[in-house]
């Protein structure tokens, strides 16, 4: 697939880096494409449980007609292990065709810029019903059946292949 090669703004990288901290209360970081850049749109702290925050995400930060990236933290605050992130690519069916192409072709570039190994799962969503925890679980469980590698292991492997191809 062709890539858009958009610039990822530093304030987005900084916000995501800050959210990695063990004491960070960040639940998700929202990013949008404006012009030739991917920029920070908003940061939301944990307000409830993982499931409650995921289920409220649509009404709290997504627009029914406008595409966006949401970097959703599935780890709870104070977790001693590194945080696990879900890369949600919200591309509603009603979005402009140009936006659909830009967002779908920019996912990998954004993940590489932020760190592929930080994302345990990718989750494309296009209708409001997709942005529910039970829908996420159903979609990702089906996608991972028969896979010998975890999503994190697959990302690390992809990152290594990308480094070898760059040389």
């Amino acid at each position: 697939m062709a890539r858009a090669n958009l610039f990822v703004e530093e304030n987005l990288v900084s916000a995501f880096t800050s959210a990695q901290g063990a004491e960070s209360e960040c639940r998700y970081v929202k990013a949008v494409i404006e012009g030739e850049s991917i920029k920070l749109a908003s940061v939301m702290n944990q307000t409830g449980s993982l499931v409650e925050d995921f289920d409220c995400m649509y009404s709290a930060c997504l627009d029914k007609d406008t595409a966006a990236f949401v970097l959703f933290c599935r780890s709870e605050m104070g977790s001693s292990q590194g945080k696990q992130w879900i890369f949600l690519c919200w591309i509603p069916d009603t979005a402009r065709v140009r936006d659909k192409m830009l967002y779908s072709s920019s996912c990998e570039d954004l993940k590489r810029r932020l760190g592929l190994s930080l994302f345990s799962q990718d989750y494309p969503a296009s209708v409001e019903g997709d942005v529910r925890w039970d829908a996420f679980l159903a979609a990702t469980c089906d996608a991972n059946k028969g896979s010998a590698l975890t999503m994190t292991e697959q990302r690390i492997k992809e990152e290594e292949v990308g480094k070898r191809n760059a040389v």
Side-chain angles (χ1 to χ4, degrees):
M1 173 186 281
R3 293 209 170 125
N5 294 317
L6 299 176
F7 175 73
V8 178
E9 292 188 359
E10 280 306 311
N11 63 347
L12 171 57
V13 175
S14 295
F16 186 69
T17 301
S18 295
Q20 298 299 318
E23 296 306 313
S24 171
E25 295 181 19
C26 179
R27 178 59 82 191
Y28 58 81
V29 176
K30 178 182 174 186
V32 294
I33 296 175
E34 269 189 20
E36 300 299 314
S37 299
I38 302 174
K39 66 176 242 167
L40 176 67
S42 62
V43 175
M44 180 67 129
N45 286 338
Q46 296 177 16
T47 58
S49 71
L50 168 73
V51 175
E52 291 168 338
D53 286 349
F54 195 93
D55 286 349
C56 291
M57 186 174 25
Y58 180 83
S59 61
C61 84
L62 296 175
D63 180 72
K64 69 180 184 101
D65 298 319
T66 308
F69 299 115
V70 179
L71 316 171
F72 186 88
C73 182
R74 63 182 301 162
S75 305
E76 297 299 333
M77 188 180 96
S79 173
S80 60
Q81 299 175 344
K83 294 195 173 184
Q84 293 183 353
W85 294 85
I86 298 166
F87 187 92
L88 186 140
C89 185
W90 169 250
I91 305 176
D93 294 335
T94 55
R96 296 180 2 215
V97 173
R98 181 178 188 278
D99 289 342
K100 289 179 183 183
M101 292 178 357
L102 275 176
Y103 277 85
S104 62
S105 66
S106 299
C107 292
E108 287 303 312
D109 289 336
L110 178 56
K111 287 187 294 186
R112 285 186 197 285
R113 177 69 172 97
L114 298 175
L116 274 176
S117 62
L118 299 173
F119 298 98
S120 61
Q121 291 162 309
D122 291 351
Y123 184 54
S126 61
V127 296
E128 181 179 355
D130 291 343
V131 190
R132 303 268 319 148
W133 186 251
D134 56 348
F136 166 75
L137 287 179
T140 56
C141 286
D142 289 344
N144 290 330
K145 284 183 182 171
S147 177
L149 299 175
T150 66
M151 292 298 284
T152 302
E153 291 169 332
Q154 289 172 349
R155 292 280 172 250
I156 292 169
K157 185 176 179 181
E158 290 172 7
E159 213 167 50
E160 289 170 358
V161 169
K163 287 178 186 175
R164 279 185 289 204
N165 290 340
V167 174

